[in-house]
Amino acid sequence: MAGVTQPVRVLIVDDDALVRAGLTMMLDGAPGIAVVGEASDGDQAQAAADKHAPDVVLMDLRMPRVDGITATRRLRARPRPPEVIVLTTFDSDDNILHALRAGASGFLLKDTPPARIAEAVRQVAAGEPILSPRITRRLMDRAAVQAGAYAQAKTTLAGLTPRERDVVVAIGQGSNNAEIAKALDMTLATVKTHVSRVLMKLGLDNRTQIALLAHDAGLA
């Protein structure tokens, strides 16, 4: 019938039966949304997606057999993949980034207000990725820290000679003194001298700190 919009079909994947029941009750009463199925672990997500053809999957992260990141990656590899919103209590930076790299279109915390979860389902189904404000701030802060470390590292290394810089890059790549000497056509004694000068110029204590600085500067 013209003008009739199909509801967004939602699959809930969570190992907590109470969470699944609560989400089902909440979302089934939201306009334009229909919960079409549930799965209690990531290993059931594929079969449930085959059976119910969801538009959006609400995915928990920590489940006993197959975790949410692995399940998300598998679902997103399908010929007609559903959108995935990770809904979890675990908001570490690694969890956020792994979920987004696995193909999740959204990342929300379980304390997100019900109306906001429903709106996120509709937004993601319409092709608009969604992150909770707290998650967005975390990612912005992380990016700012990384950008600051990069700028500081570049400034710190600016006073090195080209040869000293070559040694820093090699250390950042994990090379030992003998490997550096061979790659840069130096004597072992010359490499040791360069390393000592780099440590002194930069005020560092050891090679590990040189390697970290090389990574921060994007040289290794």
Side-chain angles (χ1 to χ4, degrees), residues 24-47:
T24 297
M25 184 180 301
M26 175 188 73
L27 292 174
D28 259 346
I33 296 175
V35 176
V36 295
E38 299 179 7
S40 61
D41 195 78
D43 66 346
Q44 300 174 8
Q46 290 266 41

Side-chain angles (χ1 to χ4, degrees), residues 7-13 27 32-37 49 52-59 75-76 80-86 105-106 108 117-128 130:
V8 178
R9 298 170 60 83
V10 176
L11 171 68
I12 298 170
V13 183
L27 292 174
I33 296 175
V35 176
V36 295
H52 301 292
D55 302 305
V56 175
V57 177
L58 286 179
M59 181 76 71
L75 288 174
R76 293 298 296 164
R80 296 183 64 182
E83 302 294 340
V84 177
I85 298 175
V86 170
S105 298
L108 297 175
I117 295 175
E119 180 58 29
V121 167
R122 287 188 284 264
Q123 283 186 241
V124 166
E128 301 176 21
I130 185 73

Side-chain angles (χ1 to χ4, degrees), residues 161-171 180 184 186:
T161 67
R163 216 55 174 151
E164 289 167 348
R165 187 182 177 88
D166 290 340
V167 170
V168 167
V169 172
I171 291 173
I180 295 173
L184 299 181
M186 298 179 181

Side-chain angles (χ1 to χ4, degrees), residues 84-95:
V84 177
I85 298 175
V86 170
L87 187 61
T88 182
T89 56
F90 303 100
D91 64 342
S92 74
D93 290 351
D94 284 344
N95 282 339

